Amino acid sequence: MSPRLLLIVVLAAGEGTRMKSALPKVLHKIAGRSMLGHVLALARELAPQSLAVVIGPGMDDVRAEALREAPTAKVFVQAERKGTADAVLTAREALAQHKGDVLVLYADTPLLTTDALRRVMGSLDQGAGIAALGFEAADPTGYGRLLTDPGGWLMGIREERDASESERRIRLCNSGVMGFRLDDLLGVLGRIGNANAKGEFYLTDAVEIARRGAVRAGVVVCAEEEVLGVNSRDQLAAAEATFQARARLHVMREGATLIAPETVWLAYDTKLGRDVIIEPNVFFGPGVTVEDGAEIKANCHIEHSHIGPGARVGPFARLRPGADLGPRVHVGNFVEIKNSTLGEGAKANHLSYVGDGDVGGGANIGAGTIFCNYDGFNKHRTVIGSGAFIGSNSSLVAPVKIGDGAYIGSGSVITKDVAAGALALERSAQEERPGWAAKFRAMMGRRKSKAG
Ligand code: UD1
Ligand code: CA
């Protein structure tokens, strides 16, 4: 069979009032990526020839997110929320230009899998003109019910509000995902009316209309958790939990050890190498890669960072965007690193801020070192040569360069470049007064007895 063309239409015009949010529902995030982003990423995995996204009026941020995640998508604005069939018809121009299959997805169903979608397309290959993705609902309340004939073919989809007593007892529900292989999908959609309890144009009515034209409709069943629709914050949290469980399993299967997986939070794109060990309570924001054999100790917060092979991070370290740790780098407790590179074997083990810096291989950043990168207006870089030693409690006022192998005496405030191999000290000379303590105590004692 020659490969068929595919158009995917993603519906995202809902306001999501139950989220009680200033943010449109589909921009709420799961594992660091918007729900719309998850659905578009999934859609792109099917390599459709065209991708359409239907948004509501005034949703400029949703449009921007759609184009960020899928730059070639066509965005259509549904003027009024008149139902799912009307929403699909909003993409009329894309439908009219397209000759092939059409797959409709909802943007608030972020846990869908490509496997389920491929099976929907498979049902079309087996002769169905329409295929709906269904699931056995633990509690079917609120969902459309799938009405099937004894052969398992789909006869119709009945929305809860329009369903009879007996239809409501059906637990096989509509997920919202529907595939179409029809010669005249636009014609079928155009014949859908709104004589129903909600007064909406239901996409689901396409099944009964197409069947009148002798089209067969199929059902593909998936697990309920895959089609969890997010309408409220508690469902958002439930979707996050499911996503995390999947992501943890995935990284463990790829060879990472999570000592307490349920306490590790992964982003949608976290990459962990082989033999990476993650201790409890570690949070990964987006954009993190951890190379083979690295170890992240307990209670770290890491985002947009790269951690080289065999590196050791934490406990209690914070890696902010642009932290790039080379092989076998050590970053210890209460160390914050931002927009900085640390060369192979460099160490910053205790209580430091390393911001906008380049630290050479094997350099040692002593406890309490601060990179003073900001003058209230601009950020400046600190460059530290390989093998340099920064004494504890030093302030490096950027822009500044410390040469290879140089030493900085503890407690120095360094404002000028330091040559390779030199010692730079910036603190007053230490003074010592022999026997001073005894004299001082005697004087204080006399004062106290006079006062008493
Ligand atoms: C829909 C299905 C129902 C299914 C359920 C699964 C219909 C008629 N019903 O019901 O069978 O069990 O999803 O969750 O399709 N949307 C628009 N424009 C509109 C209306 C909706 O873009 O005018 C979008 C929404 O943003 C949402 C999706 O379509 O992403 C579903 O709409 P919603 O109103 O939530 O449908 P349900 O009543 O939940
Ligand atoms: Ca819904």
Side-chain angles (χ1 to χ4, degrees):
M1 194 184 298
S2 65
R4 297 188 55 93
L5 299 178
L6 176 63
L7 161 66
I8 299 183
V9 181
V10 175
L11 302 189
E15 284 160 15
T17 43
R18 276 176 284 169
M19 295 295 281
K20 302 218 164 74
S21 175
L23 197 66
K25 177 167 81 175
V26 298
L27 296 187
H28 283 264
K29 288 180 178 172
I30 306 243
R33 177 182 238 172
S34 68
M35 291 197 272
L36 177 61
H38 281 283
V39 173
L40 289 176
L42 192 75
R44 293 181 72 186
E45 274 185 59
L46 297 188
Q49 279 65 42
S50 9
L51 185 53
V53 182
V54 178
I55 66 173
M59 290 184 168
D60 292 340
D61 39 2
V62 178
R63 174 193 299 271
E65 174 73 352
L67 293 175
R68 211 174 56 77
E69 292 279 0
T72 59
K74 291 194 193 74
V75 181
F76 297 90
V77 179
Q78 186 187 18
E80 235 186 295
R81 230 191 104 93
K82 292 196 282 194
T84 43
D86 180 70
V88 174
L89 272 175
T90 303
R92 182 188 305 276
E93 191 191 296
L95 291 161
Q97 283 170 5
H98 174 75
K99 296 231 172 331
D101 298 341
V102 175
L103 186 63
V104 176
L105 308 177
Y106 295 169
D108 62 357
T109 314
L111 300 173
L112 273 172
T113 60
T114 46
D115 171 66
L117 299 183
R118 292 216 165 92
R119 286 191 296 121
V120 169
M121 304 314 292
S123 170
L124 300 181
D125 289 339
Q126 280 152 30
I130 299 183
L133 181 64
F135 62 101
E136 288 284 343
D139 173 10
T141 312
Y143 290 114
R145 307 299 204 280
L146 299 183
L147 315 179
T148 49
D149 70 13
W153 293 99
L154 185 62
M155 298 189 310
I157 304 179
R158 190 77 71 242
E159 291 308 300
E160 162 117 350
R161 293 216 222 169
D162 305 301
S164 67
E165 243 347 83
S166 64
E167 285 169 342
R168 284 188 192 184
R169 280 196 290 274
I170 296 171
R171 283 181 47 215
L172 184 61
C173 292
N174 178 28
S175 70
V177 174
M178 288 178 87
F180 299 91
R181 182 172 293 176
L182 296 177
D183 295 332
D184 184 23
L185 176 58
L186 275 173
V188 170
L189 295 178
R191 287 202 289 284
I192 292 175
N194 65 347
N196 52 52
K198 264 179 142 179
E200 285 191 359
F201 296 87
Y202 291 160
L203 178 63
T204 45
D205 285 350
V207 174
E208 278 166 83
I209 291 172
R211 274 174 53 92
R212 277 179 231 144
V215 166
R216 285 203 293 185
V219 177
V220 169
V221 178
C222 72
E224 180 164 12
E225 68 158 41
E226 286 189 36
V227 286
L228 171 75
V230 174
N231 300 305
S232 59
R233 305 262 183 175
D234 54 303
Q235 288 169 331
L236 184 69
E240 177 82 45
T242 301
F243 189 95
Q244 290 297 332
R246 280 187 193 167
R248 290 166 189 144
L249 202 59
H250 175 76
V251 297
M252 289 190 284
R253 286 187 175 156
E254 293 296 306
T257 292
L258 308 188
I259 293 173
E262 65 285 3
T263 69
V264 174
W265 293 84
L266 300 162
Y268 70 97
D269 60 350
T270 306
K271 288 189 189 64
L272 305 183
R274 294 262 161 110
D275 295 314
V276 163
I277 296 177
I278 312 286
E279 288 190 356
N281 298 318
V282 173
F283 181 91
F284 290 97
V288 178
T289 300
V290 183
E291 307 269 8
D292 293 355
E295 200 170 331
I296 316 289
K297 294 177 174 294
N299 300 302
C300 290
H301 190 284
I302 303 172
E303 50 191 334
H304 295 291
S305 294
H306 170 255
I307 297 173
R312 238 167 52 196
V313 176
F316 295 99
R318 177 167 184 213
L319 303 187
R320 290 172 52 204
D324 185 356
L325 315 189
R328 287 169 295 286
V329 161
H330 289 184
V331 171
N333 40 235
F334 309 110
V335 173
E336 173 182 345
I337 299 187
K338 184 215 71 171
N339 191 25
S340 294
T341 59
L342 277 76
E344 176 162 3
K347 291 181 181 154
N349 273 328
H350 331 269
L351 301 153
S352 291
Y353 175 57
V354 176
D356 300 307
D358 295 296
V359 177
N364 187 84
I365 310 291
T369 298
I370 303 294
F371 286 32
C372 308
N373 59 326
Y374 186 49
D375 56 18
F377 297 92
N378 295 302
K379 304 271 167 78
H380 304 281
R381 289 198 86 77
T382 296
V383 179
I384 296 180
S386 54
F389 184 97
I390 313 299
S392 295
N393 201 33
S394 295
S395 300
L396 308 175
V397 182
V400 72
K401 284 197 176 98
I402 315 292
D404 291 350
Y407 264 74
I408 304 298
S410 298
S412 297
V413 177
I414 299 297
T415 55
K416 289 184 278 208
D417 291 355
V418 176
L423 166 68
L425 265 183
E426 191 283 333
R427 61 191 187 212
S428 41
Q430 186 167 324
E431 206 189 317
E432 187 163 321
R433 302 179 190 178
W436 178 92
K439 282 183 233 162
F440 178 73
R441 288 193 191 101
M443 180 187 78
M444 293 310 274
R446 280 196 300 278
R447 278 192 197 169
K448 207 175 170 189
S449 58
K450 257 189 216 164

